[in-house]
Amino acid sequence: MSDIWNWQTAADVFWKLIKVVPVTLEATFLGFALAAVLGLVWALMRRSRFRPVSVLSYWLIEFVRSTPLLVQLFFLYLALPRFPVFVIGVTGLGLHYSAYLAEVYRGGIEAVSQGQWEAARALNFSPLKTWTRIILPQAIPPIIPVMGNYLIVLFKETPLLFAINVVEMMSVAKKFGSHTFQYTEAYTIVGVLFFLMSYPSSLLVRWAEQRMALKQ
Amino acid sequence: MALPKVLSRSEDTRKQRTQLIKKTQEGLKVGPNQRSAETTPVVRYRGVKKSFGEVEVLKGIDLDIMPGEKVAVIGPSGSGKTTLARLLMTLERPSGGIIEVEGEPLYHKRVGEGLVPADERHIARVRSKIGMVFQHFNLFPHRTVLQNVTEAPIHVKKMPRRLAEEKARAMLEKVGLIEHIDKYPGQLSGGQKQRVAIARALVMEPKIMLFDEPTSALDPELVGEVLAVIKEIAEKGDMAMMLITHEMQFAREVADRVLFTDGGKIVEQGTPEEIFEHPKSERLQAFLARFRNGFGGGSQ
């Protein structure tokens, strides 16, 4: 038994891993912020009446969704050699999830009734004010739970950053393992830490979902 | 709520206005490009057409509405009466013809002698003279009653918030909703929602207000309160109105002129008396007969 699992080793690696949790969280939140902004941009471009813009957005979304994140990360890593790996990692995560969030935004926007657009036009709102005052404030609250789910999924994908040499939990665990040959403890603790963070978040999302359902 | 029994506006002013309107219309007959020296119509349609795909909904509309004039539009469903209003509100683009607002083309710009298609900015500027009340209210569900009314003054007219709220309160008082000011639309009855929508459109002080079947989506017992509010505005205000309605009695009491549309054309028009008492065309006679027999109402 002790060959496979050693509590002392587990405690050692736990403290090492805790130190890089902030890196994972930073990558998660920065990546998600980027995804939220870019996703909205794609969604708005997709609705453009100017064909080339909407077609560009369509193919961008489809391309990003149809290729693996790992491949995208490697591509950015090789294409942008001068950038810090953390920046490349955040960009990759943000870009990848922006394609998914664009679809989420699209659903939210399409759920706003046509009458709202007409009322805004009748009251002479500018296109910008129509979006910021009328459409988005109605389109976004219902999609917050779905966005929350994507935040958790993105969080669980951060170990992929290990592939481009970002110092986060996976790479620390691997390094620890190669020094001590105690891989089991290292990777198990990584899993436990992910669970401890993502499970409460998923409860929060579920609570938000229920609140939204009540509102409607 | 009981409807006010009679018009408080005197018949005299109504006749005067009708006369003035007639005079101007005669003046207009000189030529389509020659504008009357007396009064410019607030809205003028010239040869306005609209098709949706293969279907031609409006087949050439000529219509002048004078400042302050109350025009009711009646006609069977699908006769194009709603489209008439939607083209003016720029919710649809006409397929042909010219619409002018206070002498200025809505969808075109004058360049020398000719007209070229206008940009959005021009359209927005001209559109600011037009207001609309919708069949399905279209209130902003994420804003309170007061915010629904102040939203456009603050964010479109750039009015200071305090002033906008003052005006909105006065307007909501007028439509009898001052005690519901902090509620959300979801908490109101259909009749109350429509009254908020009326206040929201009125506060922008349009030159002409379009009412697109404002009571068609309401439960029968709530129709009266909305009609009473519209009637009061019609009697007090000097704003022109286009009332698209199935409420014949209401059209008769409020309108200076009634238009009967059928098959994408204005088939007949005249004073309420002429239209309802002495209908000339067979189609209008048939339409009114259907109504008297109780089969006409409730187009959705």
Side-chain angles (χ1 to χ4, degrees):
Chain A
M1 181 69 200
S2 61
D3 286 353
I4 306 169
W5 186 264
N6 182 312
W7 285 104
Q8 186 54 50
T9 316
D12 287 350
V13 74
F14 178 82
W15 291 114
K16 278 194 194 305
L17 287 170
I18 275 286
K19 280 188 198 138
V20 289
V21 164
V23 177
T24 299
L25 291 180
E26 273 167 35
T28 303
F29 287 112
L30 290 175
F32 191 76
L34 183 64
V37 173
L38 285 180
L40 184 58
V41 172
W42 309 145
L44 296 180
M45 279 171 63
R46 188 83 183 81
R47 291 184 60 97
S48 170
R49 252 174 284 166
F50 186 56
R51 280 279 293 170
V53 170
S54 72
V55 167
L56 175 73
S57 162
Y58 171 82
W59 282 110
L60 214 138
I61 292 168
E62 290 306 315
F63 180 77
V64 170
R65 291 205 306 177
S66 314
T67 48
L69 175 56
L70 184 60
V71 175
Q72 290 167 11
L73 284 172
F74 274 136
F75 175 80
L76 289 174
Y77 179 68
L78 297 169
L80 307 167
R82 288 174 195 283
F83 285 81
V85 284
F86 182 77
V87 173
I88 291 171
V90 166
T91 310
L93 285 170
L95 200 61
H96 189 77
Y97 281 90
S98 72
Y100 291 94
L101 292 188
E103 290 297 292
V104 177
Y105 280 118
R106 196 160 75 107
I109 290 165
E110 279 171 7
V112 177
S113 81
Q114 191 57 31
Q116 294 294 308
W117 292 93
E118 295 189 349
R121 200 161 166 81
L123 291 165
N124 222 8
F125 279 81
S126 68
L128 179 69
K129 290 280 184 185
T130 302
W131 280 108
T132 57
R133 305 290 313 174
I134 313 295
I135 304 303
L136 292 179
Q138 293 182 69
I140 290 175
I143 61 172
I144 285 174
V146 187
M147 298 197 40
N149 274 327
Y150 275 110
L151 174 64
I152 295 170
V153 175
L154 184 152
F155 169 65
K156 291 188 295 175
E157 295 264 67
T158 53
L160 284 177
L161 299 188
F162 154 67
I164 57 166
N165 302 332
V166 177
V167 180
E168 47 70 71
M169 286 198 274
M170 273 308 272
S171 62
V172 170
K174 182 171 185 260
K175 205 170 148 203
F176 183 89
S178 62
H179 279 300
T180 61
F181 300 104
Q182 306 279 5
Y183 285 102
T184 318
E185 289 84 348
Y187 290 136
T188 307
I189 298 294
V190 169
V192 168
L193 281 172
F194 268 101
F195 176 79
L196 287 179
M197 288 184 278
S198 59
Y199 180 66
S201 313
S202 70
L203 289 183
L204 200 71
V205 168
R206 217 169 298 163
W207 172 80
E209 257 167 9
Q210 276 161 4
R211 249 185 61 125
M212 280 299 150
L214 278 180
K215 262 194 173 175
Q216 278 155 13
Chain B
M1 195 195 294
L3 274 173
K5 195 86 180 126
V6 260
L7 299 171
S8 55
R9 178 155 50 104
S10 74
E11 281 297 315
D12 281 351
T13 41
R14 181 156 153 177
K15 277 197 184 120
Q16 272 172 19
R17 197 161 61 202
T18 315
Q19 268 168 6
L20 173 71
I21 290 158
K22 273 203 174 143
K23 238 197 270 171
T24 4
Q25 277 166 347
E26 274 155 24
L28 293 170
K29 279 174 192 154
V30 182
N33 289 327
Q34 196 170 335
R35 260 175 291 156
S36 157
E38 286 182 50
T39 324
T40 313
V42 62
V43 169
R44 163 175 289 187
Y45 292 73
R46 280 293 173 269
V48 173
K49 291 180 179 177
K50 177 65 184 175
S51 302
F52 292 105
E54 297 281 287
V55 189
E56 195 171 29
V57 195
L58 291 180
K59 300 173 181 167
I61 297 288
D62 294 304
L63 169 65
D64 286 342
I65 298 175
M66 303 314 293
E69 193 184 8
K70 280 46 171 173
V71 177
V73 185
I74 60 168
S77 306
S79 64
K81 54 191 192 308
T82 287
T83 307
L84 206 58
R86 290 175 62 84
L87 292 179
L88 182 54
M89 194 68 261
T90 72
L91 301 177
E92 315 277 358
R93 252 176 192 273
S95 320
I98 307 279
I99 299 178
E100 286 180 10
V101 179
E102 293 191 321
E104 200 173 6
L106 173 58
Y107 291 101
H108 303 84
K109 266 179 162 173
R110 288 187 210 283
V111 176
E113 289 291 286
L115 292 174
V116 295
D119 49 77
E120 258 308 307
R121 236 172 107 180
H122 169 92
I123 293 172
R125 190 170 52 75
V126 180
R127 180 174 54 210
S128 68
K129 296 171 182 172
I130 308 160
M132 185 160 178
V133 170
F134 298 88
Q135 185 178 351
H136 295 286
F137 332 125
N138 298 346
L139 291 182
F140 304 133
H142 59 303
R143 302 264 187 257
T144 64
V145 167
L146 184 67
Q147 288 168 341
N148 260 278
V149 183
T150 57
E151 192 72 18
I154 293 173
H155 295 282
V156 177
K157 280 196 169 175
K158 315 288 175 205
M159 198 184 278
R161 180 174 297 272
R162 185 184 283 256
L163 182 63
E165 285 185 357
E166 208 173 285
K167 286 194 171 216
R169 274 171 204 280
M171 214 49 92
L172 286 163
E173 179 99 60
K174 213 177 191 175
V175 300
L177 288 171
I178 197 75
E179 67 271 34
H180 300 292
I181 224 158
D182 293 320
K183 287 189 179 166
Y184 282 87
Q187 299 167 280
L188 302 178
S189 75
Q192 291 170 330
K193 280 184 200 167
Q194 194 59 299
R195 285 187 282 150
V196 176
I198 291 169
R200 181 178 73 170
L202 271 182
V203 83
M204 294 299 274
E205 299 172 343
K207 294 282 160 53
I208 180 166
M209 181 90 108
L210 316 175
F211 291 87
D212 182 15
E213 303 192 26
T215 59
S216 295
L218 297 177
D219 291 335
E221 72 271 20
L222 301 176
V223 169
E225 62 186 75
V226 172
L227 293 186
V229 164
I230 298 174
K231 201 161 161 185
E232 199 182 319
I233 297 162
E235 284 160 11
K236 287 185 184 160
D238 48 7
M239 176 180 66
M241 286 188 182
M242 186 195 275
L243 295 149
I244 294 153
T245 187
H246 286 282
E247 303 283 338
M248 297 300 151
Q249 187 56 33
F250 173 69
R252 187 177 194 147
E253 286 168 18
V254 173
D256 299 308
R257 179 157 54 122
V258 180
L259 309 181
F260 171 65
T261 58
D262 195 13
K265 285 189 166 160
I266 298 173
V267 175
E268 196 171 333
Q269 56 178 306
T271 63
E273 205 192 328
E274 286 165 355
I275 293 292
F276 293 112
E277 300 301 328
H278 314 290
K280 291 191 202 92
S281 63
E282 259 173 50
R283 279 195 277 179
L284 176 55
Q285 285 165 7
F287 175 74
L288 291 174
R290 262 206 316 280
F291 255 90
R292 291 201 180 97
N293 296 332
F295 293 114
S299 112
Q300 291 297 313

